[in-house]
Amino acid sequence: MEILWVLVALVMLGFVVLPFLRRGRGAIEQVAPGHPDAADPADYGFARQEELDVRMPGPDKDLLDVLDLVQRGQDYRAAAQLLAGTEAEGELRWQRVQAFAGAASLELAQRPGGVSEVPGGQWLRNWRTEAPKDAGGAAVHAEFLVQQAWRTATPGTDEFRIIMEEAKAACGDAALLAPGDPIPYIVELSVARGLAYPRPEFEQLWLRILDRAPNHMGAHLAALHYWCEKWHGSRELATSFAEAAAARAPRGSLLAAMPLFSVFEHLPELNLVRGFYQSEVVTKAIHGALHAVHSARPDDPMLAHVRHLLIFFLVRAERWAEAMTQLVHVDGHVGALPWTLSPDPAAEFAVYRALAVAGYEANGGSPATLPG
């Protein structure tokens, strides 16, 4: 399959290629559209690049309907109702809190307000003012502040610290409104990373989460960042955390995929090792994630997250058929790692998808042979 990569690179000479991937993961190029050797993802019923939804990793029609209603009318009540009816300990509530906070943050970035203009995200401010005891609104506000800190300020600066301190206080307020809800503490995991909590303080926070939602995949992913080498831990600590989570994962839990996320967070800046993505460490992590995917409930809200990361690794490992299987399940939505690290997540996803299709067909695959 090495020849495939050579051909892909050669045909791209003279064309604009995707920017270099984040943290030196290596540029991937796709066959130029219209080239006689180019495989067409549309033959497989995949969505066109411009149709890919960058907001979420997978479908959540209720959330999209409510978001549309809230943003059109600047009325928070539908959002409050949706969160109130979403299980507190589940992954879906966490994803919806993130989505509402992200929508408000993006609105504010697009419409910062002025003398005669109402700033974007006014519905969230109304939510907190008119319903100060609503636990859902408090959690969304706390997550909004966290996202604002990361989006608008530089870690280590006074501005960043001030916003994060405000977010920490908001997490405390949200926790008081719903003592059994893990969400305020999960939000605080990002605060802990940004403010560099000492390890004993971080571990106390983590224990509060484990008491409320011990198998929460979103919480584990947020905590993993703290233990990573680029933040407040090391490769060894992150690996240990991920492997421990996988080892104690109950049957059907996607926590078994945690080592793959740890591997991703510690990919080498420059890969000089031939076959790195076929190495024992990477292969073991891929197999763990594949097992988790096969064992998980079809409606698990975190399933799409794992599938998206698997696509990245399976394409890199030249495991084309397996990559195509994952694509069938998630195509249409790209709001997940690793695509969200790119300035253009849809374009990034489309490159990997095109490579998967090309590799699949180069090995005898076709739309007729792809399992549904």
Side-chain angles (χ1 to χ4, degrees), residues 192-230:
R193 176 163 54 100
L195 293 180
Y197 279 20
R199 286 184 187 175
E201 185 177 356
F202 181 86
E203 288 169 350
Q204 288 178 1
L205 171 62
W206 184 239
L207 286 175
R208 293 189 186 100
I209 294 170
L210 292 181
D211 285 342
R212 292 162 175 81
N215 299 316
H216 199 289
M217 179 75 170
H220 280 78
L221 292 176
L224 177 65
H225 289 298
Y226 178 91
W227 294 113
C228 283
E229 189 173 59
K230 62 179 180 286

Side-chain angles (χ1 to χ4, degrees), residues 310-371:
L310 272 169
I311 291 167
F312 172 89
F313 278 99
L314 291 170
V315 168
R316 287 288 189 172
E318 301 176 15
R319 295 167 64 164
W320 315 114
E322 291 168 293
M324 291 293 287
T325 299
Q326 302 307 318
L327 279 165
V328 168
H329 290 285
V330 300
D331 189 77
H333 297 83
V334 295
L337 284 175
W339 327 122
T340 50
L341 298 178
S342 167
D344 190 343
E348 186 88 340
F349 174 84
V351 167
Y352 276 80
R353 184 178 64 182
L355 282 168
V357 170
Y360 182 63
E361 294 189 352
N363 285 273
S366 71
T369 61
L370 183 65

Side-chain angles (χ1 to χ4, degrees), residues 144-196:
F144 166 80
L145 291 170
V146 167
Q147 293 194 27
Q148 282 295 100
W150 292 111
R151 178 175 283 126
T152 65
T154 302
T157 63
D158 287 343
E159 180 186 7
F160 182 84
R161 180 184 57 77
I162 289 169
I163 301 174
M164 277 297 188
E165 290 287 0
E166 186 180 356
K168 183 178 181 178
C171 289
D173 293 341
L176 289 174
L177 291 172
D181 189 349
I183 301 299
Y185 300 104
I186 298 174
V187 175
E188 193 178 348
L189 289 171
S190 289
V191 177
R193 176 163 54 100
L195 293 180

Side-chain angles (χ1 to χ4, degrees), residues 30-42:
Q30 74 180 91
V31 178
H35 190 280
D37 292 334
D40 188 358

